[in-house]
Amino acid sequence: MASRFTIKPPGDYELKRDFCSYGYFLLHPNFWDPRKLEFSRVLSLEGGPAQVRVGQPGGVGRGLSVVASRGLTGAEREEARAQLTRVLRLDEGTETIAAFHGLDERWRAAGRGRLMRSPTLFEDIIKTVTSCNVTWPSTVQMNRRLCEVLGDPVEAGGERQFSFPSAERIARARPQTLRARCRVGYRDARIVELARLFTPRGKRGPELEASWFEDLSNSDDAVFERLMELPGIGPYAAANIMQLLGRYGRLPLDTESVRHGKTILGYKGSSAQVMKKVHRHYAPFGAHAFRSYWFELWAFYESKHGPAWTWERDSTGKLFTAALLSK
DNA sequence: GGTAGACCTGGACGC
DNA sequence: GCGTCCAGGTCTACC
């Protein structure tokens, strides 16, 4: 018997705009259905994996309907609610988004402000590692295979779907397995090491506590410094994880930023020079710099491929290559 | 502190 | 269909 419940979002929340707001919405196990305007994925809950489907039948600001593939206990329902709150950034209220629009009013009319993310910091970190030094189609493949090889299966809607593997599951895997079956290449040992750092050791907790990183009372500098100490995490990845943690003051600049700086902002010079100029360009947006930067990039992608909520997960990947975007 | 080169995979391209 | 080239961020060794 399926469980059904409703989540009340902030008054300005729009599922199709706010979920389809960051590239990870196209990565397994996330699935956005452009026809039903509904998002689904398998969540890892205390009693085992369960697929959830999330829609917003009433439109902007109205309740989010959640349907689980199996009956959930009360505790599991709260667990699912908490995970979906993280994914959808429901903790960012209208006042937070209004503050952003106060600094950058270009996005006020469309209401843009929130960026989707994963149910856990661990998944966000692994997704970021799989996006480094690789073109987007490979990132899509790595995440699909990680789920299919190491995730927990769920039968839902007549097909088998998989959860994102837990830190504990990846920690038990051999690096060679990740390389051979998940095609993560040289990232194999780094991903396993990251998983071990997030896995509880006996009665002791994990070496890395997600709650410490999520705690906004810790300074940006302290969080950035600790992220930089992690295997496979450099300046770009650390800054990207910062925005996924809700700290938008730093810019994760990569080759896409250089392309944006040159073609849209009109900057000239070496990549390093353009990156410095891009940093200066967004500095006035302060604590919301990443939102301003990202929505400019996102608007560019949408100008090429239509609104993000129309993109199909399983065919959109190949559209996002540097070669095609530069045309 | 700055820089060069290796690390892997998959897409693009030429034949 | 096959071989070659290239894009992509992090890490290490070296200056």
Side-chain angles (χ1 to χ4, degrees), chain A residues 76-147:
Chain A
E76 284 182 321
R77 189 174 297 194
E78 289 314 303
E79 211 182 345
R81 189 186 296 273
Q83 291 190 24
L84 291 172
T85 294
R86 189 180 197 282
V87 170
L88 304 173
R89 303 257 194 182
L90 302 179
D91 53 332
E92 291 188 335
T94 53
E95 69 289 348
T96 302
I97 304 305
F100 164 54
H101 293 158
L103 276 171
D104 189 347
E105 63 177 29
R106 294 174 298 168
W107 314 108
R108 190 192 304 276
R112 285 200 182 284
R114 298 182 184 84
L115 294 123
M116 70 80 62
R117 55 182 173 172
S118 304
T120 65
L121 170 63
F122 176 70
E123 183 177 331
D124 272 337
I125 289 177
I126 300 301
K127 278 183 158 52
T128 298
V129 169
T130 64
S131 73
C132 290
N133 196 28
V134 75
T135 53
W136 182 249
S138 295
T139 303
V140 173
Q141 288 292 343
M142 283 186 240
N143 280 275
R144 181 174 65 78
R145 291 179 195 223
L146 279 169
C147 293

Side-chain angles (χ1 to χ4, degrees), chain A residues 3-7 43 52-53 64-68 72 76-82 84:
Chain A
S3 278
R4 297 170 186 272
F5 59 99
T6 301
I7 298 177
L43 295 179
V52 293
R53 289 185 287 121
L64 300 169
S65 64
V66 183
V67 182
L72 304 182
E76 284 182 321
R77 189 174 297 194
E78 289 314 303
E79 211 182 345
R81 189 186 296 273
L84 291 172

Side-chain angles (χ1 to χ4, degrees), chain A residues 130-315:
Chain A
T130 64
S131 73
C132 290
N133 196 28
V134 75
T135 53
W136 182 249
S138 295
T139 303
V140 173
Q141 288 292 343
M142 283 186 240
N143 280 275
R144 181 174 65 78
R145 291 179 195 223
L146 279 169
C147 293
E148 291 175 359
V149 173
L150 298 173
D152 291 322
V154 169
E155 298 291 340
E159 56 183 87
R160 173 172 281 202
Q161 299 177 21
F162 298 86
S163 67
F164 193 83
S166 65
E168 290 86 342
R169 180 66 191 88
I170 295 179
R172 291 200 308 273
R174 294 185 309 156
Q176 302 94 301
T177 302
L178 266 69
R179 182 180 292 228
R181 299 186 62 197
C182 306
R183 311 297 290 172
V184 301
Y186 65 88
R187 301 164 193 79
D188 55 358
R190 296 173 190 173
I191 290 174
V192 171
E193 180 58 23
L194 280 166
R196 288 178 179 158
L197 291 170
F198 278 93
T199 298
R201 300 160 297 167
K203 290 183 178 177
R204 287 186 300 171
E207 195 164 318
L208 296 178
E209 292 281 4
S211 57
W212 185 86
F213 290 94
E214 303 271 9
D215 184 351
L216 292 175
S217 70
N218 291 315
S219 73
D220 282 5
D221 286 348
V223 172
F224 187 80
E225 201 172 302
R226 285 193 72 179
L227 287 171
M228 285 285 288
E229 292 170 356
L230 303 183
I233 306 298
Y236 163 80
N240 193 55
I241 295 165
M242 293 285 282
Q243 69 85 6
L244 291 162
L245 284 165
R247 299 169 184 269
Y248 302 99
R250 291 170 192 256
L251 299 181
L253 298 186
D254 57 6
T255 51
E256 259 301 275
S257 320
V258 175
R259 180 199 57 73
H260 186 73
K262 287 182 174 176
T263 62
I264 305 298
L265 304 177
Y267 293 137
K268 293 181 170 47
S270 68
S271 293
Q273 290 169 330
V274 171
M275 280 198 191
K276 281 183 183 173
K277 290 173 183 173
V278 170
H279 263 300
R280 281 201 294 270
H281 179 85
Y282 294 99
F285 300 110
H288 294 285
F290 180 77
R291 295 191 217 254
S292 290
Y293 161 74
W294 182 255
F295 290 130
E296 263 185 35
L297 271 187
W298 206 240
F300 172 74
Y301 298 152
E302 291 193 320
S303 74
K304 296 272 184 184
H305 305 300
W309 59 266
T310 65
W311 300 351
E312 304 264 5
R313 179 186 68 181
D314 298 326
S315 59

Side-chain angles (χ1 to χ4, degrees), chain A residues 20-42:
Chain A
C20 305
S21 57
Y22 191 65
Y24 291 3
F25 93 92
L26 293 166
L27 297 180
H28 286 249
N30 296 316
F31 178 73
W32 171 257
D33 187 331
R35 281 160 288 279
K36 295 180 181 173
L37 300 182
E38 183 181 276
F39 139 65
S40 65
R41 69 166 281 155
V42 176

